[in-house]
Amino acid sequence: MNWYPWLNQPYRQIIGQHQTGRGHHALLLHALPGMGEASLAWGISRWLMCQRRDGLKSCGTCHACQLMQAHTHPDWYCLQAEKSTIGVDAIREVTEKLYHHAQQGGAKIVWIPDAATLTEAAANALLKTLEEPPKNTWFMLGSQQPAQLLATLRSRCLSVHLAPPDEGQSLKWLLKQVPVPEPDAITALRLSGGAPAAAEELLEEKNWSARQTLCQALPKALRQDMLSLLPALNHDNAVQRTGWLCALLVDALKWQQGGGQFITNVDQQALIAEMAQQLPGSALDESVRQWMICRDRLLKVVAVNRELLLIDRLLGWEKMLHSASSIQAE
């Protein structure tokens, strides 16, 4: 599992708390995708499991370390969603194991990468265990939006926020990983909320090519046929692609207001300037709002017909922009 330099500080802090006997039995790791919270949880787990710790490091040679390295340690549990949720039966099963002696005589650890996938019944069952945890048992929960979790569950955990590093630091790291022009790297970072590993993934050829295709298709769509944009949007990652579109529209608004230095898509300044000149500010603002609603529906509506939703939004967008242009012409 990859280790990232921005994890060093929170790792030292958490391990330091354990070394002084102040380690919390339940951590809630709050992070954007691409911040490496799974790597942090794994590093902490290895230290807790290690039988011959060397300061902040696990020894790497004891039996527990060997089991962890092989991903076969019987006292390390990872609970992930089956289909879309983690049910109460999964929590009860692991809880039953926790209340027995550790098979290796050491720590017992439960890692839940996405705590938001816990059903309400599962969250309540976990809450009971967190209130009275078995001896030498540690829990780590990952969450992008802790506010979505039960307040009582959050209150039993120590929240650890993995904030994105400074953009300069992230950019330096990213350019070492991916040989791309600096404007592309900056854009990828900003589109990823500053999370370096997510930016690295975005810069992979298939992902970056999809974004470039959208950027190239946009001018023609705005001038002629809006439905020509459908192939660039209608994919499994349509949520991400509509997010790219929203970012371009917001950048055009910034450009109109003289905020060009604050844009996200620094590699697409010509396109943004063209959009800012072509579309009225009110139309850009309404476009952003409507596309954000569309993106939210793609995220939350169960079994949504993605293609029909996108077609409806594109036709509605075309009609709205045509009306705005007619009013401006008068």
Side-chain angles (χ1 to χ4, degrees):
M1 190 171 291
N2 292 332
W3 186 260
Y4 304 106
W6 55 88
L7 299 178
N8 290 334
Q9 190 275 331
Y11 175 83
R12 292 191 194 101
Q13 182 180 357
I14 292 167
I15 298 303
Q17 291 170 348
H18 282 284
Q19 288 176 320
T20 57
R22 296 180 296 111
H24 202 284
H25 71 282
L27 297 179
L28 176 59
L29 304 180
H30 171 205
L32 291 170
M35 281 301 298
E37 70 278 5
S39 296
L40 178 61
W42 181 248
I44 296 168
S45 296
R46 287 192 57 181
W47 188 88
L48 288 169
M49 289 293 196
C50 181
Q51 296 163 344
R52 293 194 298 268
R53 299 164 186 159
D54 181 15
L56 293 171
K57 298 179 180 179
S58 53
C59 71
T61 58
C62 70
H63 185 54
C65 282
Q66 291 175 350
L67 288 172
M68 288 295 287
Q69 289 167 357
H71 295 271
T72 56
H73 201 298
D75 297 318
W76 190 81
Y77 306 96
C78 180
L79 296 184
Q80 294 182 293
E82 293 184 6
K83 296 183 179 179
S84 59
T85 60
I86 299 173
V88 67
D89 289 342
I91 297 296
R92 287 172 177 165
E93 181 180 348
V94 77
T95 299
E96 183 178 348
K97 294 176 181 177
L98 293 175
Y99 279 98
H100 291 82
H101 290 297
Q103 294 189 43
Q104 295 298 311
K108 293 167 286 186
I109 298 172
V110 178
W111 163 233
I112 305 177
D114 186 1
T117 58
L118 291 163
T119 64
E120 185 174 353
N124 282 315
L126 177 61
L127 178 61
K128 293 179 182 178
T129 308
L130 292 180
E131 289 173 340
E132 297 181 13
K135 184 179 179 181
N136 207 18
T137 301
W138 314 95
F139 297 86
M140 286 179 278
L141 288 65
S143 179
Q144 295 177 25
Q145 297 179 309
Q148 294 180 348
L149 306 180
L150 290 176
T152 46
L153 188 62
R154 297 198 309 271
S155 70
R156 297 298 186 276
C157 300
L158 175 65
S159 182
V160 179
H161 179 219
L162 301 183
D166 172 81
E167 186 173 88
Q169 177 187 350
S170 298
L171 183 61
K172 185 177 179 180
W173 177 87
L174 186 58
L175 289 172
K176 287 181 179 179
Q177 314 305 313
V178 190
V180 296
E182 187 171 304
D184 288 12
I186 295 172
T187 299
L189 275 171
R190 294 180 181 179
L191 285 172
S192 304
E200 181 185 16
E201 183 179 353
L202 176 54
L203 285 168
E204 291 177 4
E205 184 176 356
K206 64 175 183 178
N207 298 325
W208 198 246
S209 176
R211 177 184 168 272
Q212 297 298 84
T213 297
L214 174 64
C215 293
Q216 292 163 6
L218 191 52
K220 178 183 176 182
L222 290 172
R223 288 193 300 267
Q224 301 175 20
D225 179 15
M226 195 65 76
L227 285 180
S228 66
L229 203 59
L230 182 63
L233 293 171
N234 187 25
H235 286 260
D236 290 342
N237 66 338
V239 170
Q240 185 179 34
R241 295 182 184 217
T242 52
W244 297 338
L245 178 56
C246 287
L248 288 165
L249 293 166
V250 170
D251 280 348
L253 276 169
K254 293 177 183 176
W255 196 277
Q256 283 185 347
Q257 300 299 318
Q261 70 270 35
F262 301 113
I263 63 173
T264 295
N265 299 273
V266 296
D267 67 326
Q268 295 291 334
Q269 294 190 39
L271 171 59
I272 291 165
E274 180 182 345
M275 292 169 63
Q277 183 177 13
Q278 182 180 351
L279 302 174
S282 59
L284 283 171
D285 181 71
E286 182 62 20
S287 298
V288 173
R289 294 174 187 273
Q290 292 301 320
W291 276 109
M292 288 181 70
I293 292 172
C294 178
R295 183 175 181 273
D296 190 62
R297 288 173 178 166
L298 287 169
L299 270 170
K300 297 179 180 178
V301 177
V302 178
V304 65
N305 187 317
R306 184 181 67 215
E307 184 174 14
L308 284 180
L309 178 62
L310 290 170
I311 289 173
D312 180 68
R313 177 80 297 275
L314 287 167
L315 291 175
W317 195 25
E318 185 174 59
K319 182 178 179 181
M320 185 271 288
L321 292 180
H322 179 73
S323 299
S325 297
S326 299
I327 293 172
Q328 189 179 39
E330 294 175 1

